[in-house]
Amino acid sequence: MKIEKKYLMIILLFLGYLIVFIDKTVIGLAMIKIEQEFSLTPKEFGYITGVFFLSYSMFQIPAGWLNDRIGYKKVLILSLTLLGSFAICFGAIGFSFGLLLSFRFLSGIGHSGYPCSCAKAVSSNFVVEERTFAQSVLLSSSGVAMIVGPIAVGYLLNTIGWRGSFSWLGIIAFSIAILIWLLVPNPEKTVFTKQDSKSPYLALLKNPVIILLFIAVFGVNIPAYGLMAWLPKYLMQSRGLDLEWAAYILSIGGLSQWLSSLASGWFVGRYMQDREHLVICISSLIAAFCIWMVYFSPNIVLAIVFLFIAYIFLMMSFVTSFTLPMKRLPQNVIGSAMGLINTGGTLGGFISPIIIGYLVSSSNNTMSGDFAMAFAFLSSGMLLSALVALPLKKKPVTANV
């Protein structure tokens, strides 16, 4: 692929990723309005935010397999089309707890194909030395989503409401899907051998690198999505802030994620080749400490500082973990491998909001009480990631995985 087309592709995939992350990021803010409208309990609050990741997890592996079979472009378009459809349904006809739950579950199906298809696109069009940075640019969209999303959606929630906000989100997703269809070149067809026609997952499941990265990404996404869902509620209930200030603080966290994504890709690619396990371990430990200190900080300014630092090192751990397979696995199984690894991440996103809902409910049913156990749980995810990173010291993977 010509260099101009490669970077146009990255721009379009970035825009799609931006919508994917905004949909996941702003649900915590939107749920405050939804909770008020439907008088949701903390457990119901957790289920709506968590069930999305259940379907996301269930369809990661099929989506990865589909990428390897029909090509990343078709899966990208399908993912954004489904995401847009169910975002509109969530806003337009979500008139009961059951419907809200159903549409967030279905939305997770749409999301499931996007990360692995982007990874497949990067792996197919960039040489090994360029892949970490190219992927980190795409993953930096999570930070941009957290900068732009909370402020924009915070404004929209107060003007057109949560229903209109999700409807517009769906329309934008459709628009980007059309741009990808028109402007992203079709990938080269992969020729499969008889051996390739067999499911690669049995071989992948025997690969210790895959298993360790599955657990590492699972651990990182416990605080990543737990904070995404519950931080606005915590800031309003325990720190006494209003919705507008909660949105601004989320944006500050997004800024740190964006900066960390770009810096991590450059730093690891240039200085830490074959020492990625140390990056994941050390950054996870720092993030775990800072997340815990968000809760213990005596004032909101210090809490924001620790939150900023926590997001920097959380994102460094995630980017390093998520780009490592591109360096160690053959291209013909990248889609399947990334789908499998990201299943670990989405499972973390599934259990985290729900467990926090139970932890908060058990301490105080009015949700105005102590979040100590919730923050301990969030920190434990990063500790898990640090622990499993140590055995990831480079051991070259053969072409047959």
Side-chain angles (χ1 to χ4, degrees):
M1 183 185 289
K2 293 181 180 179
I3 188 167
E4 297 85 357
K5 291 184 177 181
K6 282 202 299 186
Y7 289 106
L8 174 61
M9 181 189 73
I10 288 294
I11 291 170
L12 292 174
L13 297 190
F14 180 92
L15 292 175
Y17 238 138
L18 191 62
I19 294 302
V20 166
F21 277 114
I22 285 177
D23 182 64
K24 292 189 284 189
T25 300
V26 301
I27 189 66
L29 290 170
M31 281 302 298
I32 294 172
K33 297 288 188 180
I34 295 170
E35 178 199 29
Q36 294 170 353
E37 181 175 329
F38 291 92
S39 300
L40 300 178
T41 67
K43 293 178 182 178
E44 290 172 333
F45 186 106
Y47 279 128
I48 290 177
T49 53
V51 73
F52 164 89
F53 291 99
L54 175 60
S55 59
Y56 199 163
S57 302
M58 290 169 61
F59 287 88
Q60 277 286 294
I61 292 175
W65 178 86
L66 202 60
N67 262 282
D68 292 331
R69 292 292 155 176
I70 69 172
Y72 55 80
K73 181 177 178 179
K74 292 179 181 177
V75 181
L76 287 167
I77 295 169
L78 179 62
S79 294
L80 289 172
T81 301
L82 291 175
L83 186 160
S85 299
F86 295 123
I88 291 173
C89 289
F90 185 82
I93 56 177
F95 292 113
S96 69
F97 171 72
L99 286 172
L100 293 174
L101 203 66
S102 298
F103 289 133
R104 283 310 286 171
F105 179 88
L106 292 170
S107 183
I109 299 175
H111 280 251
S112 65
Y114 205 83
C116 53
S117 54
C118 283
K120 183 76 171 180
V122 168
S123 179
S124 300
N125 294 287
F126 290 84
V127 298
V128 173
E129 292 77 12
E130 298 174 334
R131 290 174 187 172
T132 297
F133 184 71
Q135 182 72 349
S136 70
V137 169
L138 294 180
L139 294 178
S140 73
S141 60
S142 66
V144 177
M146 284 190 67
I147 297 170
V148 176
I151 295 175
V153 174
Y155 170 78
L156 291 174
L157 288 173
N158 290 324
T159 53
I160 63 175
W162 67 269
R163 295 185 183 278
S165 299
F166 275 94
S167 296
W168 272 108
L169 188 70
I171 293 170
I172 296 171
F174 286 145
S175 302
I176 297 172
I178 292 171
L179 289 175
I180 291 175
W181 174 51
L182 294 174
L183 299 176
V184 171
N186 292 316
E188 293 182 6
K189 291 185 178 180
T190 303
V191 178
F192 291 96
T193 65
K194 199 171 193 180
Q195 181 67 25
D196 291 330
S197 65
K198 299 177 182 179
S199 172
Y201 289 108
L202 184 59
L204 290 172
L205 287 170
K206 294 178 180 179
N207 187 327
V209 172
I210 299 293
I211 301 303
L212 290 171
L213 287 173
F214 178 99
I215 300 170
V217 175
F218 171 82
V220 170
N221 275 8
I222 284 176
Y225 290 114
L227 287 171
M228 195 177 290
W230 284 93
L231 185 61
K233 192 72 177 173
Y234 166 74
L235 292 171
M236 295 176 69
Q237 293 281 348
S238 297
R239 295 286 183 171
L241 303 181
D242 59 21
L243 182 63
E244 184 177 1
W245 273 104
Y248 284 135
I249 291 174
L250 281 181
S251 295
I252 292 172
L255 176 62
S256 64
Q257 287 197 51
W258 177 65
L259 293 173
S260 178
S261 297
L262 296 178
S264 298
W266 172 80
F267 173 73
V268 175
R270 181 157 187 168
Y271 297 109
M272 300 300 290
Q273 291 285 356
D274 302 333
R275 291 181 288 175
E276 292 89 352
H277 64 293
L278 294 177
V279 177
I280 299 169
C281 182
I282 294 171
S283 57
S284 295
L285 290 174
I286 295 173
F289 172 76
C290 291
I291 289 169
W292 187 233
M293 290 306 297
V294 171
Y295 174 79
F296 274 106
S297 297
N299 59 70
I300 189 61
V301 174
L302 193 58
I304 293 172
V305 170
F306 277 114
L307 183 68
F308 187 89
I309 299 171
Y311 272 127
I312 286 177
F313 287 98
L314 182 154
M315 202 64 190
M316 181 176 287
S317 179
F318 177 75
V319 168
T320 307
S321 300
F322 207 69
T323 57
L324 194 56
M326 298 178 190
K327 303 175 184 179
R328 303 211 187 167
L329 297 175
Q331 183 181 322
N332 67 317
V333 296
I334 285 293
S336 300
M338 296 303 290
L340 186 57
I341 291 168
N342 203 40
T343 300
T346 54
L347 284 173
F350 167 58
I351 71 164
S352 187
I354 294 173
I355 289 179
I356 292 173
Y358 276 90
L359 292 174
V360 172
S361 296
S362 63
S363 61
N364 191 316
N365 287 327
T366 64
M367 285 196 66
S368 60
D370 193 5
F371 274 76
M373 291 300 295
F375 275 90
F377 170 67
L378 295 174
S379 296
S380 71
M382 297 307 305
L383 293 176
L384 175 64
S385 180
L387 181 65
V388 300
L390 290 175
L392 281 170
K393 187 174 180 179
K394 186 176 182 183
K395 293 178 181 178
V397 179
T398 60
N400 62 357
V401 186

